[in-house]
Amino acid sequence: MPIQTAKLSDPAVRAFVTALNSHDRDAFRAALAPGATMADDGSERDLEDWTTREIFDSHGHMEIEKETAGGRGLVAQYSNDTWGEMRTAWRFDVAGGKVTRFETGQA
């Protein structure tokens, strides 16, 4: 049974997922700390390029299966128009109520 986004434990992660699922670029950027970084499948990526391509231009969506690490780790079914649906793991670093880094990859 999926976890409702509103029930995610960590407020910064909740803001990130909410913005991603609503395709709200401004709210997504607001969930990130200045200079935030990310990696996909262990490779560093340009955050702006990756999020544009993998989330916003391709209608990305997360359905959360499980939380770990006090809400800063997620297992989710992630789907977008480019890759279809896949089971993914997400790990978040948070400081000052903002996501400073996230890492994602297939689970």
Side-chain angles (χ1 to χ4, degrees):
M1 179 132 215
I3 299 171
Q4 294 176 357
T5 304
K7 296 191 183 227
L8 292 174
S9 301
D10 188 279
V13 173
R14 185 170 54 244
F16 177 100
V17 175
T18 299
L20 185 153
N21 283 346
S22 64
H23 304 110
D24 184 335
R25 288 180 195 252
D26 292 333
F28 187 83
R29 286 185 186 111
L32 301 173
T37 61
M38 62 97 39
D40 181 11
D41 281 328
S43 297
E44 293 297 312
R45 304 289 186 198
D46 177 271
L47 190 139
E48 184 65 31
D49 177 62
W50 189 92
T51 57
T52 295
R53 187 179 63 255
E54 300 293 338
I55 297 172
F56 297 108
D57 287 354
S58 61
H59 307 102
H61 184 83
M62 294 173 76
E63 187 171 294
I64 310 305
E65 292 180 3
K66 177 171 83 170
E67 282 187 302
T68 61
R72 293 188 178 173
L74 303 175
V75 175
Q77 287 294 330
Y78 187 78
S79 61
N80 69 22
D81 294 345
T82 303
W83 305 106
E85 187 171 302
M86 67 188 89
R87 190 165 191 251
T88 55
W90 298 73
R91 189 183 70 74
F92 298 88
D93 294 336
V94 175
K98 304 279 186 177
V99 172
T100 59
R101 178 173 177 77
F102 69 94
E103 297 177 9
T104 187
Q106 293 194 41

